[in-house]
Amino acid sequence: LSTIPYVEGASLCLTTLGIAAACRCVESARWALVAGLLAGATIGCKYTGLAFGAAPIAAVVLLADRSQSARKAALLGVGMLLTAGPWLVRNGWWTGNPVFPLLYDLLGGPDWTPELAANFSRAHRSTHFSFADALWFAQDVAYRNDWQNALAFAFAPLALLSSRPRR
């Protein structure tokens, strides 16, 4: 994703840093706040950051070590509100819909019509949900794509050679 010059590189970086911070929650619950700040920032990059960034970060925070889980969940939520909250409030102020143009049918939005909402939904919704489609996309990412090269496969076995115990 880092070869695409849009928000994907930043989102991927924030998600990686957020998961790293979430893994540190075992040491101190305060890392949940850092993870939450990064999770909220992924949402600020793009709405899909909720599913592909914030959700995995939250899962690591809440499932990696269940001690102090209520405190960690609260710190995670505060962090997410601090970074994603202003962006959602701004959207709500400008459009009346904090996630505009999403949820247009429920919350509405200025200068937007049901026809535009239908076009937006059609353009952004995938119709590829079969196992064959998933297999094709996995192969495309693994070896068909021009942006992928053999180094990904050459260095992958090195991850198995580490002698350090894993958590």
Side-chain angles (χ1 to χ4, degrees):
L1 283 176
S2 63
T3 59
I4 301 171
Y6 300 116
V7 300
E8 283 77 9
S11 181
L12 185 60
C13 178
L14 291 165
T15 300
T16 303
L17 292 171
I19 290 174
C23 289
R24 305 276 314 257
C25 286
V26 175
E27 301 165 18
S28 170
R30 292 180 183 170
W31 280 101
L33 177 64
V34 175
L37 292 168
L38 293 162
T42 64
I43 297 168
C45 281
K46 197 173 189 178
Y47 291 126
T48 55
L50 178 63
F52 299 119
I57 292 168
V60 172
V61 167
L62 299 174
L63 298 175
D65 177 32
R66 297 191 187 190
S67 65
Q68 301 180 4
S69 60
R71 182 169 185 241
K72 288 177 186 177
L75 288 169
L76 178 77
V78 166
M80 289 176 71
L81 283 175
L82 286 173
T83 50
W87 178 64
L88 296 171
V89 168
R90 185 215 56 185
N91 281 355
W93 179 269
W94 285 357
T95 68
N97 179 350
V99 291
F100 181 79
L102 303 177
L103 300 178
Y104 170 79
D105 295 337
L106 185 63
L107 301 172
D111 302 325
W112 203 250
T113 63
E115 292 81 22
L116 285 173
N119 288 342
F120 178 86
S121 181
R122 240 186 335 275
H124 290 87
R125 186 168 291 141
S126 178
T127 57
H128 304 282
F129 292 110
S130 71
F131 179 75
D133 290 332
L135 184 61
W136 188 91
F137 286 122
Q139 291 170 348
D140 185 48
V141 168
Y143 62 86
R144 270 192 231 131
N145 196 307
D146 292 339
W147 297 340
Q148 186 64 279
N149 63 44
L151 288 178
F153 297 103
F155 289 116
L158 293 177
L160 303 174
L161 297 178
S162 174
S163 62
R164 290 185 327 177
R166 291 182 169 82
R167 292 184 203 171

